[in-house]
Amino acid sequence: MKDPSIRRSVALFRAFMREQTDPERCYTLLAHDAAEQIERQVPLHGRLVVDVGGGRGHFTEEFRRRGAQSFLFEPDLRELCARGSVPAGSVVADGYLLPLADGVADVCFSSNVLEHVADPQTFLSELVRVTRPGGLVYVSFTNWLSPWGGHEWAPWHYFGADRARARYRRRTGRAAKHTLGENLFAIHIGPTLRQVRARDDVSVVSARSRYWPFLAEAVTRVPGLREIATWNLLLILRRRTETAAETAAAMNSPLGGTRG
């Protein structure tokens, strides 16, 4: 995947900094950018796209604008109603247990959700389950040691979550939205990459910083540095047509034939 431009990174960063005051602009821009990244791998027109944890529906709307048949699965009804009405094609559902048959999605999409689930591997497995063989799984998340890892109380999370939350309350007069261990979890890039690469049901198409304007893949290859410098990890995975175990079983079968 070609590295994105500096202009694009600056625009996303500025929108992100205004996320609390202008969420509509922030998420509209982010949805457009995510769709562009997906379409570098596969055209969205005519595809079935499952948006897991897409909140207010900006991503689903963008996918539909590009001709996809897209559905939103979101567990928080307040998020679904945040724009005044429930987005069309949305379902209140937990990402751990999606009400979908195996292999129905051409693209399974999840933006900035993985750091909010207690069991990210089970969550990923569910995304893979509903993706068809040959289909794509798009996952991005903000890792804990990123400068934004503490979300609204970043970067003070480096000095401890409790201290950062207390500081946020003192400065704003209100409680922070996120609590470590409840709706925000310390997820790291190194272990996540090792776990994904160890799976036999997906191959890694891309593992890169979502927002970096240059060397976006290189930074994720440097242990230690990647935990801070990546900011937000983007994983694009392809569902394998068959697992390694299935291949081995076929080769060992009397009907599997021999090589030579």
Side-chain angles (χ1 to χ4, degrees):
M1 183 187 295
K2 182 181 178 182
D3 283 341
S5 68
I6 293 177
R7 179 181 295 180
R8 170 227 179 225
S9 295
V10 170
L12 288 172
F13 181 74
R14 286 176 174 171
F16 171 76
M17 295 302 291
R18 296 182 176 90
E19 186 259 345
Q20 295 294 317
T21 57
D22 192 2
E24 191 68 22
R25 171 173 169 73
C26 176
Y27 288 109
T28 298
L29 183 61
L30 196 60
H32 175 82
D33 185 76
E36 288 287 312
Q37 291 175 319
I38 292 172
E39 289 204 312
R40 289 176 181 152
Q41 303 293 332
V42 62
L44 284 167
H45 185 81
R47 308 285 177 165
L48 177 60
V49 181
V50 172
D51 177 7
V52 182
R56 303 175 184 187
H58 292 88
F59 296 103
T60 294
E61 288 178 2
E62 180 64 24
F63 299 149
R64 288 182 173 183
R65 190 182 70 80
R66 294 173 184 246
Q69 184 182 12
S70 185
F71 298 93
L72 168 61
F73 295 84
E74 167 61 49
D76 190 342
L77 187 58
R78 291 171 299 178
E79 279 292 306
L80 282 174
C81 298
R83 298 165 76 188
S85 61
V86 176
S90 59
V91 179
V92 178
D94 194 319
Y96 287 128
L97 191 62
L98 295 169
L100 292 168
D102 295 354
V104 296
D106 295 300
V107 178
C108 195
F109 175 88
S110 179
S111 174
N112 294 340
V113 177
L114 208 62
E115 70 267 33
H116 298 295
V117 299
D119 186 353
Q121 292 309 305
T122 297
F123 183 86
L124 277 172
S125 292
E126 186 67 352
L127 303 188
V128 173
R129 180 188 69 80
V130 302
T131 305
R132 66 168 178 80
L136 293 181
V137 179
Y138 177 114
V139 178
S140 73
F141 67 89
T142 303
N143 55 297
W144 176 244
L145 292 179
S146 159
W148 316 113
H151 286 49
E152 72 271 25
W153 26 276
W156 303 99
H157 64 295
Y158 287 131
F159 301 98
D162 292 340
R163 182 177 297 180
R165 279 177 51 82
R167 181 184 184 277
Y168 181 87
R169 178 181 279 279
R170 287 196 306 271
R171 291 183 64 86
T172 65
R174 61 181 184 273
K177 177 181 178 180
H178 297 98
T179 301
L180 188 66
E182 293 183 9
N183 59 358
L184 181 64
F185 298 88
I187 186 170
H188 302 286
I189 290 175
T192 301
L193 289 176
R194 288 191 291 273
Q195 290 162 354
V196 168
R197 287 168 177 156
R199 299 183 66 112
D200 67 355
D201 53 2
V202 294
S203 58
V204 179
V205 175
S206 182
R208 58 191 288 116
S209 172
R210 187 177 184 181
Y211 304 124
W212 267 64
F214 53 86
L215 300 177
E217 291 192 352
V219 71
T220 65
R221 300 191 186 108
V222 184
L225 176 65
R226 63 190 174 195
E227 300 297 341
I228 298 173
T230 299
W231 295 357
N232 186 286
L233 181 69
L234 167 60
L235 287 171
I236 299 180
L237 313 174
R238 189 175 302 280
R239 175 75 186 272
R240 293 185 188 275
T241 54
E242 60 182 14
T243 67
E246 290 169 340
T247 301
M251 292 300 296
N252 292 328
S253 167
L255 300 179
T258 59
R259 294 184 183 270

